[in-house]
Amino acid sequence: MNVEDGSDMLGAPRRFRGQAMIIGQRVRRPDAHDKVRGTALYVGDLPVAGALEAGVLRSPHPHARIRSLDVARARALPGVLAVLTARDVPGSNLIPLIQSDWPVLAEEYVRHVGEAVALVAAETHETLAAALRAIEVEYESLPALLDMEQALATGEIMAHWKVRRGEAGAALTRSDLVVVEGVYHTPHQEHATLEPNGVVAQPDGAGGMLLRGAFESPFSVRRAAASVLGRDLSSIRVASLVIGGGFGAKDDAASAPAAQAALLAAASGRPVRLLLSRQEEMTATSKRHPARVKVRLGATQDGHLFAAEVDILLDGGAYATLSPLVLSEAAIHACGPYRVPNVRVDAKAVRTHKVPSGVFRGSGAVQAAFAFESQVDLLAERLSLDPLELRRRNALVVGDETITGQKLSASVGLREVLDRVAEASEWTARRAVFSHDAGAVRRGIGVAASYTGIGLGPVGRHLGPSGGGASVVVASDGSVTVAVGTADAGQGEATALAQIAADALGCPLELVRVIEADTSRVPEGGPATGSRSTLVSGNAIRDAASRVRAAIEGVVGDGGLPWREAVALVSQKRAGLAAHGWAIPPEPTFDLGTGQGDAHMCYTFSACVAEVEVDTATGEVHVRRFTSGHDIGRVVNPMSAEGQVEGGVIQGLGYALLEEHVLRDGRIRNDGFSTYLLPTVLDAPEVRTVFVENPYPWGPSGAKGLADAPPVAVAPAVTAAIAHAVGVRLCELPATAERLWMALREKAGKAHG
Amino acid sequence: MNVEDGSDMLGAPRRFRGQAMIIGQRVRRPDAHDKVRGTALYVGDLPVAGALEAGVLRSPHPHARIRSLDVARARALPGVLAVLTARDVPGSNLIPLIQSDWPVLAEEYVRHVGEAVALVAAETHETLAAALRAIEVEYESLPALLDMEQALATGEIMAHWKVRRGEAGAALTRSDLVVVEGVYHTPHQEHATLEPNGVVAQPDGAGGMLLRGAFESPFSVRRAAASVLGRDLSSIRVASLVIGGGFGAKDDAASAPAAQAALLAAASGRPVRLLLSRQEEMTATSKRHPARVKVRLGATQDGHLFAAEVDILLDGGAYATLSPLVLSEAAIHACGPYRVPNVRVDAKAVRTHKVPSGVFRGSGAVQAAFAFESQVDLLAERLSLDPLELRRRNALVVGDETITGQKLSASVGLREVLDRVAEASEWTARRAVFSHDAGAVRRGIGVAASYTGIGLGPVGRHLGPSGGGASVVVASDGSVTVAVGTADAGQGEATALAQIAADALGCPLELVRVIEADTSRVPEGGPATGSRSTLVSGNAIRDAASRVRAAIEGVVGDGGLPWREAVALVSQKRAGLAAHGWAIPPEPTFDLGTGQGDAHMCYTFSACVAEVEVDTATGEVHVRRFTSGHDIGRVVNPMSAEGQVEGGVIQGLGYALLEEHVLRDGRIRNDGFSTYLLPTVLDAPEVRTVFVENPYPWGPSGAKGLADAPPVAVAPAVTAAIAHAVGVRLCELPATAERLWMALREKAGKAHG
């Protein structure tokens, strides 16, 4: 199935007798039981006979030359089965990604604190620790580049993407425009999953290897392990276990531990378990890119956006990992979900001596949205327009083009989302009431909007095959097994895909099981990144299901038999009911040189409203209510969709108000959950979720995707609400009490000065 | 793919550039390394976190009424998680087989020693043992029916199959015929696999269950577990691990432990490990049917078989399991691979109070061959014809009909097999030389022939879907993963299937991996029974491969690209290369009422020559050389085919000379390898293997099947050689030294009397 064919996915298949509507039903997740009872088997729980404990010797320096590396003493310890350095890599030492600059093990230089220098596999934890201590490394410390502006100045540029549309520079000189400017800073963000990265590698004795772990993108892990071992892809089987939180933490970041465990297993001939500690996870694996975004935004007096110049700078850290992709998302989403006829975007990612930055829910779009939405809010203030009305006026509608010149032909529900969010948040009434707050604690309400491209986007084509596969097998009693290549990272994808399968087959939902992602079951598709699972795997399932239905109908006709009877009849005729399916999303026509073209197959449109209470004496901000609205095409399972929104909002609030890494000499110092502050359930406001259903013709049953959207516009809505409450507009995240208190003091100083 | 279509499987597909011939190559098994090093993970080695130890309380009586069964004390023990009796079975208590009379747990009556009465799952082995002891059962012992003739007399008939062709009774009265008669007895045979049955059941927390173990027929196990739990088929996932010997021991017999473990896992909500002890395996699981076969065989003076009456009696034991299937095989193969125009076969299986008999390599055919081949040998003696020449004269050839009226249209290589075996064994010369032996130790050479139906045969249709599925997935680097529904029981099937896949795809063999059988990967096919794996799974692979090739050729054409380049090109075009395949063997037209029709899709034709040394003073027999020849269509992997033949010959020699259960009061007393004598490597003669390639048009690359054939004619060849050496024809197996010494003494007595 090639969705470029334009074959309409919206039409529900003819139902078997007794078949109920499935898409849109609230369905409980089958994994809920195990997770709540604590019986779910995460990689750390996985029993593996004879498994060696593995560990990584990591660089203490942000930048150094390895003068000497002596593993002889470590190797000689009894109970040590393997000690490996870059010299011992049989295949390629570079993880195959967009730029493939990321070594599995450091060679001559280390370029960030936490970089892997040597690997050990030993019989026990104690021996492992002793062996790691026994490795002798002599470093020559080198100057570290830790500031991204300085990296930009010295030309350490990983990637530079542009968007050019109309004549932004010239337009912004027009005297009839209102122009606002700002510079915005956002920090690293920790994925802070409950489960750190981990992997169990088991050689199969026949030249093959099974890798099990928490993998968001099993095929990326397979590519990395096959490449480092110098073996063919099918000799490595990668299966995703239950994942204790993804958000991008188990995407690019999972490849290195998987490749390292595979190396140790191959060298020792034994199963190997490599579990990252929380400290390793926090100091040595990729996080959200710190960013500096400059925006100049011009609008007409009647509030129509007319021109924008956006300069984005991302700190990519020491290696490119998925930075080029994240950067392209920042560029594509730089001007929000609005019509802007004149645009210049320059987005650059620079190389520093910090831990590599990587993908993180809403990659790139989050940083861009904070800057641009803050500017839109400022513009509304300058124009004395209601900020929600300003957004409504400029919202993309069907037929409009995005800043990359992509014509949106369907499923653009932003106006309706804004209207519904306004209604659910009682925007107008509360905005008016809060404006009169005058005490020490003041309330404010703010809005922000965003859109989120679904799929890998234009840089994704460098990540290998971008389709998605599915296998559908029907047993003789009508029960169904579905396999896909995208992992359920805990968001409930498996449930949504079961619904899509049941809908497409026309069978009862309770007969469908979606099993864990396993690279041996379906052809290699792209990673789960980019909210693409439901769409790509869903369409692949529909493709497979249509073949299965054709086989059934070939035997029993399309008469009104109940599903189980129809399948039984087919089984009697000795037919085997199974098919592989495949879906190819429309290929981006985006030109990375000009920044013009179709960047994503479709977009999810979002808007949110934050309601805050600010204690002007302390700078403390409490988010009291939060409304989050999304046009995600069709909602497959409202229950899990609401869960995704609620989780994304809290994650966005942590980013907006609390989360910050403390780096000293390139080392992250707050490397545990006791020092890295996260929002807890006590910090969670009441979240109201709004879904607008604006079916996407090529989505399975009209669905688009949701995962990345919820956090994107949270921070600017919060800072807008703070500005509404106390008149101070923060341009740097997180909006901590200290930072706000300082800003309030400064404002008061100015007022009195 | 429906092989009934008559689509020709012989034509090799067009090769990609650089593609070598693969079928017929000697290929080393990928599992050899792990098995030889002891690192292969059998079910007993499988680590399972939190697994409970499970055990079965078994009946000490061959026949009794359960007056009371009290599990309260056992349930009350700390550390006991589940104690189950027949009352606790949520679904059906009968294992779904042909007659479905076999309870998972005894209800009111026990009908054989070792029958399962209650199940326990406990935290430790010690607690398990204590709980089993704490179950209180009061039995009322009932008279046990332990003799099959008595069972026949009392009408305890499980099944009765007939073959009627011409007028056997009338023909045998003709005075111009030479008629020989005989009654033959064969014993139980133990599969004697190195690994007893075992299973690990793991609930998945979402209403599903994973069963892993040594399963020859994963789909039968799934059906049993789903049925006993009252769940749908796809909710149970059955995966075969490395199997420590099959031969039928892990076919029907695996269903009971799997169902029992599944019950305990469902009841406790915990993983459960149920491993049978050697004693349990030997006393409580199915074995080869003891048989009594009467033959009257008439031939013309010039040595043409003309009429035969065969009465077969099999001891089915307490429950039918697969007895009706085994019995039909005995009937179908009752008159060997010969033209016999007048035939009456009556085959009956009776119910006794012994452990159920089940499938065992060469099921039914072995017992029939011993009787009939012995009679043919006797006939040669009467006619003063060379016994090999007599067989040659009567051998089925293309165009002939079997005794069931099945017209053989292709691949009937018996004459060539006989010629080649005669040559390899130096038959004529040695027969002549040995005839002059006169000392205390005398040599003899004997021949026997057989044919073996491939596939499930006419009763197999009652075992569920009889097709076979395969999934072929190609990675972007051209490496391939193949999944099928038939398990490799250690015979090297996976290697043969990899060769078939590589041949059909046109790719290098080293790129293909055949992974373990898993019921979630392909649609339900029949069991691996009946040497059908290569043929059915092989054709399913070819079906899937043809779709994959079509997809490749749709993109790159059929031009002479090397495989990897062709696949890379397809991947660039974003196509996903995967397909499910399906093969349906020709449906048997056999009528169980008349015993006429096509009984099997095809037959493997075999002949063997045994050369023995008999010590007339002790009755000891040493087999010095053994030649085993087979027309198996096309030989896919000569290395593993030779291994199958050698193993089958040794297994047949054990049956011929050594193996015997000692039953007392219905209980097998020699229940360990120290008391049940098996041939060791020291007993193994030099085995010469001969393959005749007579391609079967509907077999993958012309292959038929081999697994069941090698042991079939071993015993009659050995007893014929003994008869040649010392003039004594044994009609009861095994031909132990004691038995032969007695016969020699009796013969000497007669000579002197």
Side-chain angles (χ1 to χ4, degrees):
Chain A
M1 171 189 292
N2 186 331
V3 301
E4 287 177 293
D5 294 352
S7 50
D8 187 345
M9 301 280 154
L10 293 177
R14 188 181 288 107
R15 290 187 153 60
F16 287 90
R17 215 180 69 206
Q19 165 68 8
M21 275 295 301
I22 292 167
I23 303 296
Q25 297 303 302
R26 300 182 74 83
V27 178
R28 237 180 53 186
R29 299 155 52 145
D31 55 337
H33 187 257
D34 258 10
K35 286 182 172 166
V36 168
R37 297 209 325 168
T39 49
L41 272 188
Y42 295 89
V43 62
D45 307 319
L46 201 68
V48 184
L52 301 174
E53 300 299 336
V56 182
L57 184 75
R58 298 184 183 278
S59 164
H61 299 283
H63 190 203
R65 195 170 74 82
I66 299 175
R67 269 212 200 105
S68 68
L69 173 54
D70 186 352
V71 298
R73 270 185 52 221
R75 278 195 181 138
L77 289 177
V80 170
L81 276 286
V83 182
L84 306 178
T85 69
R87 287 181 196 182
D88 306 308
V89 172
S92 161
N93 188 33
L94 297 175
I95 292 172
L97 278 164
I98 298 161
Q99 296 190 355
S100 303
D101 62 348
W102 188 17
V104 177
L105 284 164
E107 300 187 6
E108 196 180 345
Y109 294 94
V110 289
R111 295 186 180 85
H112 68 90
V113 171
E115 180 161 3
V117 172
L119 306 174
V120 175
E123 295 283 2
T124 65
H125 278 292
E126 292 67 29
T127 311
L128 170 63
L132 287 170
R133 280 193 306 267
I135 297 172
E136 293 160 35
V137 200
E138 212 184 318
Y139 293 101
E140 175 190 345
S141 184
L142 298 171
L145 190 53
L146 298 171
D147 179 78
M148 62 175 148
E149 299 288 355
Q150 198 184 335
L152 180 65
T154 56
E156 288 291 344
I157 293 170
M158 271 178 192
H160 174 187
W161 306 135
K162 303 168 189 175
V163 176
R164 299 286 185 267
R165 182 171 173 81
E167 291 292 338
L172 283 169
T173 61
R174 275 173 48 172
S175 58
D176 58 340
L177 292 188
V178 178
V179 176
V180 291
E181 285 184 55
V183 183
Y184 296 86
H185 291 93
T186 58
H188 272 133
Q189 186 181 14
E190 186 69 31
H191 299 89
T193 56
L194 283 177
E195 180 197 28
N197 273 279
V199 59
V200 168
Q202 285 174 277
D204 71 2
M209 178 92 65
L210 171 63
L211 297 174
R212 287 180 293 171
F215 306 132
E216 287 183 88
S217 296
F219 287 105
S220 304
V221 167
R222 184 175 73 166
R223 202 159 51 245
S227 160
V228 77
L229 293 176
R231 297 196 189 157
D232 64 64
L233 292 171
S234 299
S235 74
I236 313 284
R237 186 167 143 202
V238 178
S240 276
L241 298 170
V242 177
I243 299 179
F247 321 120
K250 274 105 182 184
D251 195 326
D252 51 334
S255 290
Q260 290 159 354
L263 280 172
L264 288 168
S268 65
R270 291 267 296 270
V272 163
R273 185 201 321 271
L274 175 58
L275 302 178
L276 268 60
S277 68
R278 175 65 58 192
Q279 195 198 36
E280 284 176 298
E281 179 80 10
M282 292 189 77
T283 55
T285 76
S286 61
K287 348 216 145 288
R288 191 187 293 290
H289 289 74
R292 183 271 291 146
V293 183
K294 293 183 190 168
V295 182
R296 281 181 76 211
L297 174 60
T300 59
Q301 299 291 342
D302 61 349
H304 286 98
L305 304 185
F306 188 71
E309 288 190 327
V310 185
D311 285 281
I312 298 171
L313 182 64
L314 298 186
D315 186 341
Y319 299 108
T321 71
L322 292 176
S323 285
L325 186 148
V326 174
L327 185 71
S328 73
E329 295 306 295
I332 290 160
H333 295 90
C335 297
Y338 310 114
R339 281 183 307 279
V340 191
N342 299 287
V343 171
R344 176 188 65 75
V345 179
D346 280 278
K348 294 174 184 169
V350 290
R351 197 178 296 273
T352 60
H353 293 114
K354 292 190 205 151
V355 65
S357 303
V359 290
F360 191 146
R361 204 173 183 184
S363 296
V366 162
Q367 294 92 327
F370 175 58
F372 199 82
E373 287 299 299
S374 294
Q375 286 298 97
V376 171
D377 212 62
L378 183 60
L379 190 67
E381 193 181 306
R382 291 284 169 82
L383 294 169
S384 300
L385 273 172
D386 178 283
L388 199 145
E389 172 52 27
L390 176 62
R391 286 173 170 90
R392 212 183 169 286
R393 206 168 283 181
N394 289 282
L396 290 164
V397 295
V398 167
D400 278 345
E401 288 186 1
T402 68
I403 60 167
T404 74
Q406 176 168 1
K407 185 151 182 161
L408 301 172
S409 56
S411 191
V412 187
L414 181 56
R415 281 218 175 134
E416 198 183 339
V417 171
L418 282 162
D419 292 345
R420 295 274 311 281
V421 163
E423 193 186 308
S425 65
E426 301 163 79
W427 168 262
T428 312
R430 292 190 168 234
R431 179 100 182 161
V433 170
F434 296 170
S435 297
H436 297 106
D437 276 8
V441 175
R442 297 190 193 171
R443 292 170 297 172
I445 187 166
V447 65
S450 60
Y451 72 155
T452 314
I454 302 301
L456 297 175
V459 178
R461 73 181 73 149
H462 302 285
L463 287 171
S466 62
S471 162
V472 171
V473 177
V474 183
S476 58
D477 67 349
S479 56
V480 180
T481 304
V482 174
V484 293
T486 48
D488 187 334
Q491 78 278 43
E493 184 208 341
T495 313
L497 295 181
Q499 289 174 274
I500 289 168
D503 180 68
L505 288 166
C507 77
L509 177 62
E510 62 272 20
L511 290 182
V512 179
R513 302 211 155 231
V514 177
I515 57 179
E516 79 283 354
D518 178 332
T519 57
S520 68
R521 290 180 182 267
V522 294
E524 192 177 358
T529 317
S531 310
R532 66 195 286 280
S533 305
T534 303
L535 203 141
V536 175
S537 292
N539 274 339
I541 289 170
R542 288 176 65 99
D543 181 33
S546 71
R547 288 163 209 236
V548 168
R549 279 186 69 101
I552 296 175
E553 287 168 7
V555 175
V556 305
D558 55 4
L561 277 180
W563 166 259
R564 277 190 192 264
E565 286 177 32
V567 170
L569 210 57
V570 173
S571 287
Q572 277 165 32
K573 307 264 178 175
R574 310 201 300 153
L577 290 173
H580 277 282
W582 184 249
I584 313 176
E587 186 146 28
T589 60
F590 193 82
D591 180 334
L592 284 167
T594 63
Q596 291 294 297
D598 292 358
H600 284 276
M601 57 182 134
C602 63
Y603 297 85
T604 286
F605 293 89
S606 309
C608 57
V609 170
E611 200 181 302
V612 300
E613 254 175 37
V614 183
D615 185 329
T616 53
T618 61
E620 272 182 296
V621 176
H622 289 280
V623 179
R624 293 303 183 195
R625 290 209 315 189
F626 201 95
T627 307
S628 183
H630 307 271
D631 166 17
I632 58 170
R634 191 75 187 282
V635 184
V636 178
N637 182 0
M639 195 185 284
S640 62
E642 287 166 11
Q644 274 203 318
V645 171
E646 287 166 16
V649 166
I650 309 303
Q651 210 162 31
L653 290 175
Y655 187 61
L657 295 168
L658 285 176
E659 296 181 46
E660 203 166 11
H661 288 91
V662 180
L663 270 89
R664 210 170 302 151
D665 302 329
R667 178 173 195 98
I668 291 169
R669 298 288 160 163
N670 53 343
D671 55 9
F673 282 171
S674 55
T675 46
Y676 182 85
L677 291 190
L678 288 165
T680 69
V681 69
L682 296 177
D683 300 303
E686 180 194 343
V687 177
R688 297 180 179 191
T689 301
V690 168
F691 289 118
V692 167
E693 294 200 295
N694 214 319
Y696 170 52
W698 296 288
S701 303
K704 295 191 284 197
L706 174 60
D708 284 270
V712 176
V714 172
V718 170
T719 51
I722 294 171
H724 181 230
V726 296
V728 164
R729 194 169 294 281
L730 292 174
C731 298
E732 185 172 4
L733 294 181
T736 56
E738 293 79 358
R739 204 163 265 142
L740 182 55
W741 184 81
M742 292 285 286
L744 285 166
R745 208 174 61 161
E746 195 182 330
K747 185 188 168 208
K750 275 186 194 155
H752 292 277
Chain B
M1 172 189 291
N2 186 331
V3 300
E4 286 177 294
D5 294 352
S7 48
D8 188 347
M9 302 281 153
L10 292 178
R14 188 182 289 107
R15 291 189 152 60
F16 288 90
R17 215 179 71 206
Q19 165 69 5
M21 275 295 301
I22 292 167
I23 303 294
Q25 298 304 302
R26 302 181 72 84
V27 178
R28 237 181 54 186
R29 299 156 50 145
D31 54 337
H33 187 258
D34 257 9
K35 285 181 172 167
V36 169
R37 297 207 326 165
T39 49
L41 271 189
Y42 294 88
V43 62
D45 307 320
L46 201 67
V48 185
L52 301 174
E53 300 298 337
V56 182
L57 184 76
R58 299 184 182 279
S59 165
H61 300 282
H63 190 202
R65 196 172 72 83
I66 299 175
R67 269 214 200 105
S68 68
L69 173 53
D70 185 352
V71 298
R73 270 185 52 220
R75 278 194 180 139
L77 289 176
V80 171
L81 275 286
V83 182
L84 306 178
T85 70
R87 287 183 197 180
D88 306 307
V89 172
S92 161
N93 188 33
L94 297 174
I95 291 172
L97 280 163
I98 298 161
Q99 296 189 357
S100 303
D101 62 347
W102 188 17
V104 177
L105 285 164
E107 300 188 5
E108 198 180 344
Y109 295 94
V110 289
R111 295 186 180 86
H112 68 89
V113 171
E115 180 161 1
V117 173
L119 307 174
V120 175
E123 295 283 3
T124 65
H125 278 292
E126 294 66 31
T127 311
L128 169 63
L132 288 169
R133 281 192 306 269
I135 298 172
E136 292 161 34
V137 200
E138 213 183 320
Y139 294 100
E140 176 189 343
S141 184
L142 297 171
L145 190 53
L146 297 170
D147 179 77
M148 63 174 146
E149 299 288 354
Q150 198 184 334
L152 180 65
T154 57
E156 289 290 344
I157 294 170
M158 270 177 193
H160 175 185
W161 306 134
K162 303 167 189 176
V163 176
R164 299 287 185 267
R165 179 171 175 81
E167 291 292 337
L172 284 168
T173 61
R174 277 171 49 170
S175 58
D176 58 339
L177 292 188
V178 178
V179 176
V180 292
E181 284 184 54
V183 182
Y184 296 85
H185 291 93
T186 58
H188 272 135
Q189 186 181 13
E190 186 69 32
H191 299 89
T193 56
L194 284 177
E195 179 196 29
N197 273 280
V199 59
V200 167
Q202 285 174 277
D204 70 3
M209 179 93 65
L210 171 64
L211 297 175
R212 287 180 293 171
F215 306 131
E216 288 183 88
S217 296
F219 286 105
S220 305
V221 167
R222 184 175 72 166
R223 204 159 49 245
S227 160
V228 76
L229 293 176
R231 297 195 189 158
D232 64 65
L233 292 171
S234 298
S235 74
I236 313 285
R237 186 167 143 201
V238 178
S240 276
L241 299 169
V242 177
I243 298 180
F247 321 119
K250 275 105 181 183
D251 194 326
D252 51 334
S255 291
Q260 290 158 354
L263 280 172
L264 288 168
S268 64
R270 292 268 295 270
V272 163
R273 184 199 325 268
L274 175 57
L275 303 177
L276 268 60
S277 68
R278 176 66 57 191
Q279 194 198 39
E280 284 177 297
E281 180 81 7
M282 293 190 77
T283 55
T285 75
S286 62
K287 342 212 151 293
R288 192 187 292 291
H289 289 75
R292 182 271 290 145
V293 184
K294 293 183 190 167
V295 183
R296 282 181 76 212
L297 174 60
T300 58
Q301 299 291 341
D302 62 348
H304 287 98
L305 303 184
F306 188 72
E309 289 191 326
V310 185
D311 285 281
I312 298 170
L313 183 62
L314 298 186
D315 187 341
Y319 299 107
T321 70
L322 292 175
S323 285
L325 186 148
V326 174
L327 185 72
S328 72
E329 296 306 295
I332 290 160
H333 296 90
C335 297
Y338 310 114
R339 280 183 307 281
V340 192
N342 300 286
V343 171
R344 175 189 64 76
V345 179
D346 280 277
K348 293 174 185 171
V350 290
R351 196 178 296 273
T352 60
H353 292 115
K354 293 190 206 150
V355 65
S357 303
V359 290
F360 192 145
R361 204 173 184 185
S363 297
V366 163
Q367 296 93 327
F370 176 58
F372 199 82
E373 287 299 300
S374 293
Q375 286 298 100
V376 171
D377 212 63
L378 184 59
L379 190 67
E381 192 182 307
R382 289 287 169 80
L383 294 167
S384 301
L385 274 171
D386 178 283
L388 200 146
E389 171 53 28
L390 177 60
R391 287 175 169 88
R392 214 185 167 288
R393 205 168 284 180
N394 289 282
L396 288 164
V397 296
V398 167
D400 278 346
E401 287 187 1
T402 68
I403 61 167
T404 75
Q406 177 168 1
K407 186 153 181 158
L408 301 171
S409 55
S411 189
V412 186
L414 181 56
R415 282 220 174 131
E416 197 183 342
V417 171
L418 283 162
D419 292 347
R420 296 273 310 282
V421 162
E423 193 186 308
S425 65
E426 301 164 78
W427 168 263
T428 311
R430 294 192 165 233
R431 179 100 182 161
V433 171
F434 296 170
S435 296
H436 299 104
D437 276 8
V441 174
R442 297 191 192 168
R443 293 171 298 173
I445 189 166
V447 64
S450 59
Y451 71 154
T452 313
I454 301 301
L456 297 175
V459 179
R461 72 181 73 148
H462 301 286
L463 287 172
S466 62
S471 163
V472 171
V473 176
V474 183
S476 58
D477 67 349
S479 57
V480 180
T481 304
V482 174
V484 294
T486 49
D488 187 334
Q491 79 277 39
E493 184 209 340
T495 313
L497 294 181
Q499 290 174 274
I500 290 169
D503 181 68
L505 287 167
C507 76
L509 177 62
E510 63 271 20
L511 291 182
V512 179
R513 305 216 150 225
V514 177
I515 57 177
E516 80 283 356
D518 178 332
T519 58
S520 68
R521 289 180 183 267
V522 295
E524 193 177 358
T529 317
S531 310
R532 65 194 288 278
S533 306
T534 303
L535 203 140
V536 175
S537 292
N539 274 339
I541 288 170
R542 288 176 65 98
D543 182 33
S546 71
R547 288 162 209 237
V548 168
R549 278 185 71 101
I552 296 175
E553 288 168 7
V555 175
V556 306
D558 54 5
L561 278 179
W563 165 260
R564 278 189 190 265
E565 284 178 34
V567 170
L569 210 59
V570 172
S571 287
Q572 278 166 31
K573 307 263 177 175
R574 310 201 301 152
L577 289 173
H580 276 281
W582 183 247
I584 313 176
E587 186 146 29
T589 60
F590 194 81
D591 179 334
L592 284 167
T594 64
Q596 291 295 297
D598 291 358
H600 284 276
M601 56 182 135
C602 64
Y603 297 85
T604 286
F605 292 90
S606 309
C608 57
V609 169
E611 201 181 302
V612 299
E613 254 176 34
V614 182
D615 186 328
T616 54
T618 62
E620 273 182 296
V621 176
H622 290 280
V623 180
R624 292 304 182 194
R625 290 213 312 191
F626 200 95
T627 307
S628 184
H630 307 272
D631 165 18
I632 58 170
R634 191 75 187 283
V635 184
V636 178
N637 183 0
M639 193 185 284
S640 63
E642 286 166 11
Q644 274 203 316
V645 170
E646 288 166 14
V649 166
I650 309 303
Q651 209 162 32
L653 290 175
Y655 187 62
L657 295 167
L658 285 176
E659 298 181 44
E660 203 165 13
H661 288 92
V662 180
L663 270 89
R664 210 171 301 150
D665 303 329
R667 176 173 197 98
I668 291 169
R669 298 288 160 162
N670 53 343
D671 53 11
F673 284 172
S674 56
T675 46
Y676 181 87
L677 291 190
L678 288 165
T680 69
V681 69
L682 297 175
D683 301 302
E686 178 194 345
V687 177
R688 298 179 178 194
T689 300
V690 168
F691 290 117
V692 167
E693 294 199 294
N694 214 318
Y696 170 52
W698 297 287
S701 303
K704 295 192 284 196
L706 174 60
D708 284 86
V712 174
V714 172
V718 169
T719 53
I722 295 170
H724 180 230
V726 296
V728 164
R729 193 169 293 281
L730 292 174
C731 299
E732 185 171 4
L733 294 182
T736 56
E738 294 78 359
R739 203 163 265 143
L740 181 54
W741 185 80
M742 292 285 285
L744 285 165
R745 209 175 60 163
E746 194 182 330
K747 185 190 169 209
K750 273 186 196 156
H752 292 278

